Amino acid sequence: MLGLGCPKQAFAKIATPRCLLLHPEQIARIESKLPAYTVGSLQRKSQMDVLLEFITSLLEFPDPGDKLKELGELIKDVFQLMPSGKHMIGRDLGRLGSTASLKYCSAG
C-alpha cells in the first residue's frame, strides 16, 4: 500500500459537483454577493490541489519512484474504463425506411 490510505479514499478527495456548493471559495463569493464560480473551474482547482498534496506526500517517502509505480498498478484496479452509452455502435436502429406519411408529404 502507498501509505496514503485506501486508493478509493485517496481519490475521493477529488471534488464532485455536489460538494462544490460547500467549497470555501464559493461560500465566500456568495456571502460577498459576488457571482459564483463555475462548477467546472472549482472542480479543476480542487483536483489540482489534491494532485499537489499527493505529490508533496509522495516526495516524503524514502523511495518515491517505487511508490509511484505502486500507484500506477492501483490506478488500473480502481479506475476502470467504461463503454459509452451515448454512441450508436452495436445498437439496433430499427426500420430506417420512409413511412407512408413521409411519402405522402413529399409527393404534395
Side-chain angles (χ1 to χ4, degrees), residues 18-105:
R18 182 174 59 113
C19 71
L20 290 174
L21 294 175
L22 304 175
H23 193 282
E25 292 180 38
Q26 190 77 298
I27 292 170
R29 298 282 293 187
I30 292 169
E31 287 175 353
S32 300
K33 308 269 191 245
L34 295 170
Y37 292 121
T38 64
V39 170
S41 66
L42 283 169
Q43 187 174 19
R44 284 188 301 275
K45 179 161 183 341
S46 294
Q47 289 170 342
M48 289 300 104
D49 290 345
V50 169
L51 178 62
L52 287 173
E53 183 180 325
F54 169 75
I55 291 170
T56 302
S57 65
L58 182 68
L59 292 174
E60 293 173 358
F61 283 101
D63 192 358
D66 284 345
K67 292 296 178 184
L68 196 56
K69 287 178 187 174
E70 191 176 333
L71 174 67
E73 293 301 317
L74 289 173
I75 286 174
K76 290 177 188 176
D77 295 336
V78 174
F79 294 101
Q80 299 292 321
L81 296 177
M82 304 299 291
S84 171
K86 294 181 181 179
H87 298 91
M88 300 305 288
I89 296 173
R91 292 196 181 192
D92 180 17
L93 299 178
R95 186 175 52 85
L96 297 176
S98 60
T99 61
S101 62
L102 288 176
K103 289 179 185 176
Y104 175 77
C105 289

